[in-house]
Amino acid sequence: MAHTPETRSNVRRMYVEGMALTAAAACGNVSYDTAREWKRLGKERGDDWDTARAAYRISGQGIDELNKAMIEDFARLVLTTTRELDSSPIPAHEKAGVLSQLADAHAKFAKAFSRINPQFSGLSVALDTLKIVVDLLQKRDPQALRALQPHIDEIGAVLGKRYG
């Protein structure tokens, strides 16, 4: 089935503006394979959709949106890693090593990011405070920590809205 240039342009626009390629294809009523092919052909012709997407994130939405996306991506990675580690069968001493590396990466990310975005510094302090509370409860009152755990993501979201 032949698609109009307008359809191709709309799929490209949706992708560049941040929609996943699968979703952009669905919204444009084309198959994912078609959208992927258009993207590949565009790159061959000098129209790299991914480069356009990155440029849009920086200029179209502004640097604040890019900063928020970076923070969200990093936080999601930390949460996913922690959850996977929790259910992993690896020995406790190896888990401790991975958690130490993760904490180090988080500290470096926070320090570097707060230099370029002072607003993030407040979020960093708030999240660090939350971590201190969790560590304290883990050592002194594990039952209270179990009661708090279902609310950690929500607390993080509230802190993100206030400081992020």
Side-chain angles (χ1 to χ4, degrees):
M1 174 174 154
H3 298 284
T4 66
E6 183 179 82
T7 300
R8 181 187 302 219
S9 178
N10 284 336
V11 170
R12 180 191 182 281
R13 178 187 49 77
M14 289 184 278
Y15 177 78
V16 167
E17 290 178 356
M19 192 176 282
L21 189 58
T22 52
C27 288
N29 291 319
V30 301
S31 72
Y32 170 74
D33 289 336
T34 298
R36 190 177 60 197
E37 180 66 8
W38 289 346
K39 184 177 176 231
R40 185 188 66 76
L41 289 171
K43 187 172 186 173
E44 285 178 5
R45 295 179 185 139
D47 178 23
D48 187 336
W49 292 17
D50 291 319
T51 300
R53 184 179 178 132
Y56 177 83
R57 285 182 85 174
I58 292 170
S59 64
Q61 292 180 327
I63 196 70
D64 288 340
E65 287 300 315
L66 178 62
N67 288 341
K68 287 178 186 177
M70 287 176 60
I71 293 167
E72 288 172 7
D73 290 347
F74 188 80
R76 193 174 303 112
L77 177 64
V78 169
L79 287 172
T80 300
T81 303
T82 304
R83 286 181 181 140
E84 287 179 6
L85 190 60
D86 189 42
S87 62
S88 172
I90 65 174
H93 71 279
E94 288 182 29
K95 285 183 183 184
V98 173
L99 284 174
S100 175
Q101 291 173 345
L102 191 60
D104 185 51
H106 179 268
K108 287 176 181 175
F109 178 84
K111 184 175 182 178
F113 204 82
S114 66
R115 287 184 185 142
I116 60 172
N117 186 347
Q119 193 177 25
F120 179 72
S121 184
L123 178 60
S124 179
V125 170
L127 291 176
D128 189 49
T129 302
L130 180 61
K131 183 185 180 310
I132 290 168
V133 169
V134 168
D135 290 346
L136 183 72
L137 289 177
Q138 187 174 21
K139 291 176 185 170
R140 298 197 180 157
D141 194 349
Q143 187 175 359
L145 177 60
R146 280 191 295 278
L148 179 65
Q149 268 181 323
H151 307 286
I152 294 290
D153 288 345
E154 184 180 356
I155 293 167
V158 169
L159 292 174
K161 283 181 183 175
R162 178 168 290 177
Y163 297 106

